[in-house]
Amino acid sequence: MIFGGCDIGSLTSKGVLLKDNRIIGTAIIKSKPKPSESAEKIKETLFSNLNLKDTDISYWIGTGYGRERIAFVNESLSEITCHARGALWLLPSAKTVIDIGGQDCKAIRIDKQGKPARFITNDKCASGTGRFLEVMAKVLNISVDELGHLSLHAKSPITFASSCTVWAQADVIRHLNDGRSIEDIGAGINIAMANRVAILASSIGIEEDVCMTGGVAKNTGVLMSLEKLVGHKIKKPKKADPQLAGAIGAAALAQEKKS
């Protein structure tokens, strides 16, 4: 039997198909204006890659901010529930999950079954989210991926006075005009973001193993800075793309539902 998870986020949408607890298909797309269109594109991509049809899927679970607009799912669950389960699937020893998405950040303490025991989210401010990095990368005229590597080459990272996205953007422009190196500015951006996330994560009590998921988990600079700030080693899942955690959790929960 095949089980599906569909995570419709504000910036990206993700899909995962599981068979015998093994990933057989994945899809990541830039979200479309309407969540329903993103969901259909995810399904179309998964199905075309594997030559599947609707009746081949035993159960779908949807998640993400657009979960209520997914027409084909059997059930919808919260992002917290799906990300917690997805993190445990990716890293069975995980007890704390830090998920940084495009528009929000979550810190979740999970039990042995992958259920959330404590959690906190930051969805009222762009700082501490993927959106913050996206805005700063645009000002520096580089890609978000390039921004992640700048910390490795910085000699004197800049300290940003404000974590507000608008003010930080103005600071980046000022430092560029002052002739500061792009490496030092980029490292400062990564550290500023890590600071916001560390405050959030520490408030729920961090317990190892710590697992980082979401697209920002691919940013080495933020991950290294975050490790120093929280005082714990943070593991980036290697079993699958950490950006898929929510969709993986949804598919894993769909599988449990019918097992």
Side-chain angles (χ1 to χ4, degrees):
M1 291 193 289
I2 300 174
F3 303 93
C6 186
D7 178 6
I8 304 302
S10 55
L11 293 184
T12 60
S13 295
K14 289 77 67 178
V16 166
L17 295 177
L18 283 183
K19 183 178 182 181
D20 297 328
N21 204 34
R22 184 174 61 86
I23 291 178
I24 61 168
T26 65
I28 299 177
I29 64 167
K30 188 174 176 60
S31 291
K32 297 178 179 299
K34 292 182 178 179
S36 58
E37 293 176 354
S38 299
E40 289 301 325
K41 183 63 181 175
I42 285 290
K43 188 175 78 165
E44 178 190 322
T45 304
L46 290 169
F47 281 14
S48 63
N49 289 342
L50 296 165
N51 196 25
L52 297 173
K53 53 186 182 301
D54 284 320
T55 52
D56 292 320
I57 310 302
S58 299
Y59 206 80
W60 278 104
I61 287 183
T63 189
Y65 99 100
R67 61 184 180 274
E68 300 300 336
R69 297 288 182 268
I70 310 174
F72 54 84
V73 296
N74 302 96
E75 184 180 350
S76 296
L77 294 174
S78 76
E79 292 166 85
I80 297 295
T81 299
C82 291
H83 276 275
R85 184 64 188 87
L88 193 75
W89 191 93
L90 287 163
L91 185 69
S93 59
K95 293 182 178 174
T96 305
V97 184
I98 298 173
D99 178 85
I100 306 176
Q103 300 278 30
D104 67 5
C105 176
K106 317 172 193 63
I108 313 168
R109 285 272 302 279
I110 60 175
D111 65 17
K112 291 179 180 176
Q113 285 74 45
K115 294 178 181 175
R118 294 185 67 189
F119 67 89
I120 187 168
T121 64
N122 165 32
D123 59 0
K124 303 295 184 188
C125 174
S127 63
T129 72
R131 179 65 180 156
F132 177 80
L133 294 182
E134 196 174 79
V135 170
M136 298 306 150
K138 190 173 181 181
V139 177
L140 291 173
N141 197 28
I142 60 173
S143 69
V144 174
D145 288 344
E146 289 175 296
L147 180 60
H149 296 293
L150 291 181
S151 296
L152 306 176
H153 306 289
K155 293 180 179 175
S156 180
I158 286 168
T159 301
F160 283 86
S162 171
S163 60
C164 169
T165 303
V166 176
W167 289 113
Q169 192 175 357
D171 282 346
V172 169
I173 294 170
R174 179 169 56 81
H175 289 304
L176 282 173
N177 290 334
D178 289 344
R180 296 296 300 267
S181 77
I182 195 169
E183 289 82 4
D184 286 349
I185 297 172
I189 291 168
N190 291 333
I191 293 168
M193 173 155 186
N195 266 316
R196 292 285 299 180
V197 177
I199 292 169
L200 189 81
S202 297
S203 68
I204 62 163
I206 295 173
E207 189 177 357
E208 291 187 339
D209 285 340
V210 185
C211 174
M212 188 167 173
T213 60
V216 179
K218 302 173 192 176
N219 182 313
T220 306
V222 172
L223 192 143
M224 289 170 55
S225 300
L226 196 51
E227 283 185 335
K228 289 179 185 173
L229 289 164
V230 300
H232 293 278
K233 181 74 178 172
I234 297 175
K235 297 186 176 181
K236 184 172 70 173
K238 297 178 180 175
K239 200 173 171 182
D241 187 332
Q243 195 170 2
L244 292 167
I248 290 172
L253 288 163
Q255 182 176 250
E256 289 169 9
K257 202 98 179 176
K258 291 296 176 181
S259 298

